[in-house]
């Protein structure tokens, strides 16, 4: 009896799924998806430009900016330290393992590890961590305000929403993310040394690393994290301000915002690292 | 005397501080482990919720396909571009394919895909369970005499673990292709030149390593997200907080266990390689 019930349940759900998939692939649905994509892209870019235009406008809300900086920067430091520390340790471990197989030589390990952490993990993984910690919080906060009609109340009071909500978050995130990247790279570097402690003392580690990493890489790190830092506040605020349908809508908006942020960070990271070298070699 | 007393107080204060920071952490950790054990014990129990399981598999797996393949492609491309630069410093770009594919299959792919999927699936599961709890649907299920864990958590747990393993493999394969494409287009390297070094450097053992990581990350993320969803408190605001916390804890857990597994892998690698290749088991 229970066996036939299970079979029937499977049959009905498979049928439902088939109908669902067929509906998903219809022309109408694909077109709607495309329109949604274009609308979201346009909305995010528009919000970014509005926020950048509103940034230098007079009522500078220093207190709000400092509050958001505490939320986005100070409370994210433990997460950054832990994740970047483990990442630095993993990098050194893996690269020494690989180089031992390739060249039978582990002296270059700190150089490659520091290079990778400066050029790659420093900006992009810190941005992804900030998206997980801060972006989800921003979307939930603004989405909660939207579903309880607080945004409409603000607008009725004559407050510019972009200026009041987005600009402090954007300014705080842009400032804090550069600082967090530098802290993260430092942590990755030190934890890498802790793993490499049997192969080199700190003098050797630092010497090998600094012979491969220099000021250009540091500037690369700063500019890359600067270029990736607008994504988290703008996308979070965009999806938070469009959240609909109560608590469930806020949850959906949060999920969507975090996923799109991480995706944009990965794609932007690839674009920057593919273009940067060409650009530098073209300029020099 | 009083100064000495104050000095003597310092170690006790430090111990107290340690426990005020560490106590909640241990509490959470123990709660998660007990919850995970309970869920795993509930998995083989009858009746199985087949319909719910299939719906969850669809929601968790099929809907994440485009995101995971896009992210995997670009992760592979990024690794390839960066290794091209790093190996170029040593004039060793002939090893680019092997190094990229090996690093991708072992480390970068599983970890970044895990963070990505934690953002996509984990937040979804936490938000759904948390909303159910905030609107007292969990209590309603319990009142109706059903086991809430068996009815609500087990299908999601199985779906996340199973689909995570599959999506991880998909991401790794797409990432390997992405690395090759980036080496071809960005680094101007011939594809045959790229693929030549893969076979000697990235063996089946690397893929096995990545797949194992996928399974372990899946179990951890499923446990964390279901636990955070089922224990969220404070109404709808608590749901947002729970989602945020589950994302952060998942990321920390992924990096921590990645570190431990990388250590185990680098220790056991030689033994495994000797067993698999030189003793002729996989030749």
């Amino acid at each position: 009896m229970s066996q036939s019930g299970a079979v029937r349940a499977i049959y009905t759900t498979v049928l439902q799924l088939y109908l669902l998939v067929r509906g998903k692939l219809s022309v109408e649905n694909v077109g709607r998806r495309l329109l949604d994509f274009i609308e979201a892209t346009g909305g995010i870019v528009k919000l970014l430009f509005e926020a950048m235009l509103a940034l230098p406008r007079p009522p500078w809300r220093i207190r709000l900016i400092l509050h958001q900086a505490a939320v986005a920067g100070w409370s994210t430091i433990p997460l950054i330290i832990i994740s970047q520390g483990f990442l630095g340790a993993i990098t050194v471990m893996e690269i020494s393992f690989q180089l031992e197989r390739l060249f039978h030589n582990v002296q270059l390990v700190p150089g490659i590890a520091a290079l990778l952490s400066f050029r790659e993990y420093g900006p992009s993984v810190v941005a992804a961590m900030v998206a997980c910690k801060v972006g989800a919080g921003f979307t939930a906060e603004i989405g909660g305000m939207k579903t309880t009609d607080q945004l409409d109340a603000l607008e009725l009071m004559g407050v510019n929403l972009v200026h009041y909500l987005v600009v402090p978050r954007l300014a705080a995130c842009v400032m804090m993310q550069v600082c967090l990247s530098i802290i993260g790279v430092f942590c990755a570097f030190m934890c890498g040394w802790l793993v490499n402690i049997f192969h080199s003392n700190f003098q050797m580690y630092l010497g090998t690393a600094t012979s491969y990493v220099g000021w250009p890489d540091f500037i690369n790190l700063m500019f890359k994290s600067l270029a990736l830092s607008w994504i988290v506040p703008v996308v979070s605020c965009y999806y938070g301000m469009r959240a609909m349908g109560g608590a469930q809508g806020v949850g959906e908006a949060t999920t969507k915002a975090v996923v799109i942020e991480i995706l944009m960070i990965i794609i932007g990271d690839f674009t920057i690292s593919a273009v940067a070298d060409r650009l530098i070699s073209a300029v020099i | 005397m009083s100064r000495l007393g104050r000095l003597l107080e310092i170690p006790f204060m430090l111990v107290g501080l340690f426990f005020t920071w560490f106590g909640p952490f241990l509490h959470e950790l123990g709660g998660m482990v007990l919850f995970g054990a309970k869920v795993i014990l509930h998995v083989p129990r009858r009746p199985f919720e087949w319909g719910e399981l299939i719906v969850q598999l669809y929601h968790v797996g099929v809907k994440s396909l485009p995101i995971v393949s896009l992210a995997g492609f670009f992760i592979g491309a990024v690794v390839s571009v960066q290794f091209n630069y790093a190996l170029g410093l040593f004039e060793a770009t002939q090893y680019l394919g092997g190094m990229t594919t090996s690093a991708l299959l072992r480390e970068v792919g599983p970890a970044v895909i895990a963070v990505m999927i934690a953002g996509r699936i984990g937040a979804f599961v936490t938000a759904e369970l948390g909303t159910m709890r905030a609107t007292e649907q969990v209590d309603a299920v319990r009142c109706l005499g059903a086991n809430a864990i068996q009815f609500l958590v087990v299908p999601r747990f199985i779906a996340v673990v199973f689909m995570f393993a599959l999506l991880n493999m998909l991401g790794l394969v797409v990432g390997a292709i992405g690395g090759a494409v980036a080496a071809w287009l960005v680094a101007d390297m011939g594809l045959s030149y790229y693929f030549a070094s893969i076979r000697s450097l990235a063996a089946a053992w690397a893929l096995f390593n990545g797949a194992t990581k996928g399974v372990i990350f899946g179990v951890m993320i499923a446990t964390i997200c279901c636990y955070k969803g089922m224990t969220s408190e404070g109404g709808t605001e608590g749901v947002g907080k729970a989602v945020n916390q589950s994302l952060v804890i998942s990321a920390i857990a992924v990096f921590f266990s990645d570190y431990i597994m990388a250590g185990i892998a680098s220790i056991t690698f030689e033994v495994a390689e000797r067993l698999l290749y030189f003793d002729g088991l996989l030749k």
Side-chain angles (χ1 to χ4, degrees):
Chain A
M1 187 63 200
S2 74
Q3 201 65 29
S4 72
V7 169
R8 199 180 302 134
I10 292 174
Y11 178 71
T12 48
T13 42
V14 166
L15 191 68
Q16 279 174 0
L17 289 181
Y18 169 68
L19 291 175
L20 208 66
V21 170
R22 208 178 63 175
K24 290 258 171 210
L25 293 178
S26 65
V27 176
E28 184 198 350
N29 194 42
V30 171
R32 202 190 301 129
R33 284 292 180 87
L34 204 63
L35 281 182
D36 280 353
F37 173 73
I38 293 170
E39 190 194 346
T41 316
I44 289 169
V45 173
K46 182 162 166 269
L47 192 61
L48 174 68
F49 277 101
E50 277 176 2
M52 272 162 52
L53 285 180
L55 190 62
R57 243 181 251 164
W60 295 310
R61 306 175 202 268
I62 304 289
R63 196 174 287 268
L64 272 180
I65 293 180
L66 288 180
H67 176 72
Q68 297 299 339
V71 169
W74 176 250
S75 62
T76 319
I77 286 180
L79 177 64
I80 297 294
I81 289 177
I82 294 173
S83 61
Q84 289 287 313
F86 280 120
L87 249 161
I90 294 168
T91 316
V92 168
M93 224 149 71
E94 278 297 316
I95 289 180
S96 55
F97 167 67
Q98 299 272 5
L99 284 198
E100 199 162 5
R101 273 190 343 173
L102 276 183
F103 307 128
H104 307 286
N105 180 4
V106 290
Q107 284 190 337
L108 304 172
V109 169
I112 305 185
L115 205 68
L116 283 182
S117 93
F118 263 86
R119 294 172 58 90
E120 195 52 47
Y121 306 138
S124 65
V125 178
V126 166
M129 291 295 111
V130 169
C132 282
K133 175 92 173 66
V134 181
F138 282 173
T139 315
E141 195 184 347
I142 295 181
M145 286 169 82
K146 160 87 185 184
T147 51
T148 51
D149 295 334
Q150 291 177 46
L151 294 190
D152 296 340
L154 279 174
E155 224 164 13
L156 275 180
M157 277 153 57
V159 177
N160 184 350
L161 283 185
V162 175
H163 194 274
Y164 184 71
L165 291 176
V166 184
V167 166
R169 287 176 170 78
L170 181 66
C173 267
V174 168
M175 287 189 300
M176 283 301 120
Q177 198 156 308
V178 177
C179 304
L180 285 176
S181 317
I182 295 170
I183 294 175
V185 166
F186 178 73
C187 286
F189 190 73
M190 296 311 285
C191 289
W193 176 60
L194 289 183
V195 172
N196 208 27
I197 203 161
F198 299 116
H199 295 296
S200 64
N201 56 15
F202 191 68
Q203 207 78 33
M204 278 164 63
Y205 187 77
L206 195 66
T208 321
T210 46
S211 63
Y212 286 101
V213 177
W215 280 107
D217 292 297
F218 190 73
I219 294 168
N220 187 353
L221 165 78
M222 302 255 285
F223 273 102
K224 207 166 169 184
S225 53
L226 205 64
L228 294 176
S229 63
W230 64 270
I231 293 174
V232 171
V234 170
V235 176
S236 294
C237 291
Y238 176 75
Y239 279 103
M241 284 158 102
R242 283 166 47 96
M244 273 188 290
Q248 207 165 3
V250 175
E252 275 167 24
T254 310
T255 315
K256 208 167 186 179
V258 171
V259 170
I260 289 178
E261 276 158 20
I262 298 182
L263 207 58
M264 281 174 77
I265 285 167
I266 293 174
I267 295 176
D269 181 31
F270 167 70
T271 316
I272 293 170
S273 41
V275 169
D277 293 334
R278 299 248 167 143
L279 209 64
I280 290 170
S281 62
V283 167
I284 300 172
Chain B
M1 185 60 205
S2 71
R3 189 171 289 170
L4 184 70
R6 237 172 258 157
L7 270 179
L8 283 177
E9 264 177 17
I10 289 175
F12 292 100
M13 272 167 59
L14 285 180
V15 170
L17 252 177
F18 183 74
F19 276 103
T20 45
W21 281 96
F22 223 62
F25 170 72
L26 288 180
H27 182 80
E28 286 278 291
L29 194 66
M32 269 169 210
V33 172
L34 287 180
F35 184 82
K38 211 182 195 177
V39 172
I40 289 174
L41 285 182
H42 273 81
V43 166
R45 271 195 208 169
R46 279 166 196 277
F48 305 117
E49 303 289 338
W50 291 108
E52 178 76 7
L53 177 63
I54 292 175
V55 170
Q56 288 299 327
L57 284 174
Y58 173 76
H59 274 296
V60 164
V62 180
K63 283 193 164 180
S64 312
L65 276 179
I67 286 169
V68 169
S69 16
L70 199 59
F73 185 86
F74 280 100
I75 292 165
V78 167
V79 175
S80 179
V81 168
Q82 294 293 356
F83 267 125
N84 181 43
Y85 178 81
L87 290 177
L89 294 180
F90 312 111
E91 305 288 336
T93 42
Q94 71 214 27
Y95 297 116
L96 178 65
M99 284 284 271
T100 304
T101 314
S102 176
L104 190 83
L105 295 185
R106 263 172 225 289
E107 290 301 327
V108 188
V112 181
I113 290 171
V115 173
M116 185 81 209
I117 294 184
R120 168 76 185 78
I121 298 172
F124 173 73
V125 168
T126 314
E128 207 177 25
L129 286 177
T131 312
M132 279 186 181
R133 200 177 141 83
T135 52
E136 297 175 353
Q137 292 177 46
V138 176
D139 297 332
V141 167
R142 219 170 262 152
C143 275
L144 288 170
N147 190 338
I149 287 185
Q150 193 165 5
F151 190 69
L152 296 175
V153 178
V154 168
R156 288 175 174 79
F157 186 85
I158 297 174
V160 170
V161 173
F162 185 65
M163 277 301 163
F164 193 99
L166 293 185
L167 288 172
N168 183 40
M169 294 300 284
L170 173 81
L172 293 183
V173 171
V174 176
I177 297 170
V181 170
W184 176 38
L185 292 181
V186 179
D188 292 330
M189 178 175 275
L191 277 184
S192 58
Y193 195 57
Y194 181 88
F195 282 119
S197 61
I198 289 183
R199 189 155 161 69
S200 59
L201 284 177
W205 185 242
L207 191 61
F208 176 75
N209 205 332
T212 322
K213 272 183 184 172
V215 173
I216 292 175
F217 291 164
V219 171
M220 277 168 41
I221 287 178
T223 312
I224 289 167
C225 294
C226 292
Y227 174 79
K228 276 286 158 197
M230 289 297 277
T231 57
S232 79
E233 268 166 16
T236 52
E237 260 178 52
V239 177
K241 211 178 263 179
V243 170
N244 210 336
Q245 279 182 353
S246 77
L247 285 178
V248 171
I249 297 174
S250 307
I252 292 176
V254 163
F255 285 121
F256 180 68
S257 62
D258 197 10
Y259 170 70
I260 291 176
M261 280 189 279
I264 294 173
S266 66
I267 292 167
T268 56
F269 175 78
E270 286 182 10
V271 180
E273 198 171 53
R274 202 177 305 138
L275 275 180
L276 285 178
Y277 294 99
F278 301 125
D279 290 355
L281 284 181
L282 245 181
K283 221 154 194 181

